[in-house]
């Protein structure tokens, strides 16, 4: 099992990463560090500083890491920001999420877990 955790440098994602890592699962993190922190990701874990809106960046991550499973935690998760800037919310949570789903389809990912977001 090779698990890609989007938003793995954030609050929930980093705990998922740590838990999978302790189980001996091969893990990679995709995060643009908008709110997440690099130091939340343990050393030794593959880290890709990539934005969900960047289709080429996503393609590179899937080509290199070849995840079998994806845990999708990356989001613009702030309700306040979503009210102030709904376009950003749409771009990250909807279009970014769709980019991720398309990459999963293209690269034959077996299962995706989606946290969803109150921000959307
Ligand atoms: N924390 C909660 O109480 C809670 C409750 C309900 C749902 N959720 C959902 O769970 C998920 C994770 O929430 P969290 O609390 O860990 O938030 P968080 O902000 O700590 O983590 C989100 C991560 O996504 C990354 N990110 C943001 N935009 C990105 C982009 N365009 N490309 C790549 N990475 C990007 C951030 O840098 C951050 O590391 C979100 O979908 C959130 O809405 C959280």
């Amino acid at each position: 099992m090779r698990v890609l955790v989007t938003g793995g440098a954030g609050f929930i994602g980093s705990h998922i990463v740590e838990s999978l890592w302790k189980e001996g699962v091969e893990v990679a993190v995709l995060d643009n560090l908008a709110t997440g922190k690099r130091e939340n990701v343990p050393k030794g874990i593959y880290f890709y500083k990539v934005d969900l809106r960047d289709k080429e960046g996503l393609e590179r991550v899937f080509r290199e890491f070849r995840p079998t499973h994806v845990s999708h935690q990356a989001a613009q998760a702030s309700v306040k920001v979503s009210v102030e800037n709904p376009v950003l919310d749409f771009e990250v949570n909807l279009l970014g999420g769709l980019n991720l789903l398309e990459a999963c389809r293209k690269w034959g990912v077996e299962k995706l877990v989606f946290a969803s977001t109150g921000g959307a």
Side-chain angles (χ1 to χ4, degrees), residues 52-86:
L52 288 171
R53 293 166 290 181
D54 171 9
K55 284 187 189 175
E56 285 178 12
L58 278 178
E59 175 75 13
R60 181 170 62 84
V61 174
F62 278 76
R63 192 173 53 241
E64 283 180 17
F65 183 66
R66 299 286 176 104
T68 56
H69 295 71
V70 172
S71 175
H72 181 31
Q73 308 298 324
Q76 188 307 100
S78 161
V79 176
K80 184 170 182 287
V81 171
S82 78
V83 172
E84 289 166 356
N85 189 352

Side-chain angles (χ1 to χ4, degrees), residues 29-44:
V29 167
L30 180 157
D31 199 301
N32 72 348
L33 300 181
T35 56
K37 293 192 173 67
R38 181 67 180 87
E39 56 266 33
N40 284 345
V41 182
K43 285 196 173 65

Side-chain angles (χ1 to χ4, degrees), residues 6 30 32 50-55 58 62 70 72 74-76 87-104 112 114:
T6 74
L30 180 157
N32 72 348
V50 167
D51 194 297
L52 288 171
R53 293 166 290 181
D54 171 9
K55 284 187 189 175
L58 278 178
F62 278 76
V70 172
H72 181 31
Q76 188 307 100
V87 173
L88 173 70
D89 215 60
F90 182 86
E91 288 175 352
V92 172
N93 294 334
L94 296 175
L95 294 181
L98 190 58
N99 289 341
L100 182 72
L101 289 176
E102 287 291 8
C104 288
L112 173 126
F114 177 38

Side-chain angles (χ1 to χ4, degrees), residues 14-25:
S14 61
H15 287 284
I16 293 172
V17 168
E18 197 180 342
S19 169
L20 288 168
W21 189 52
K22 282 183 179 160
E23 294 284 330
V25 175

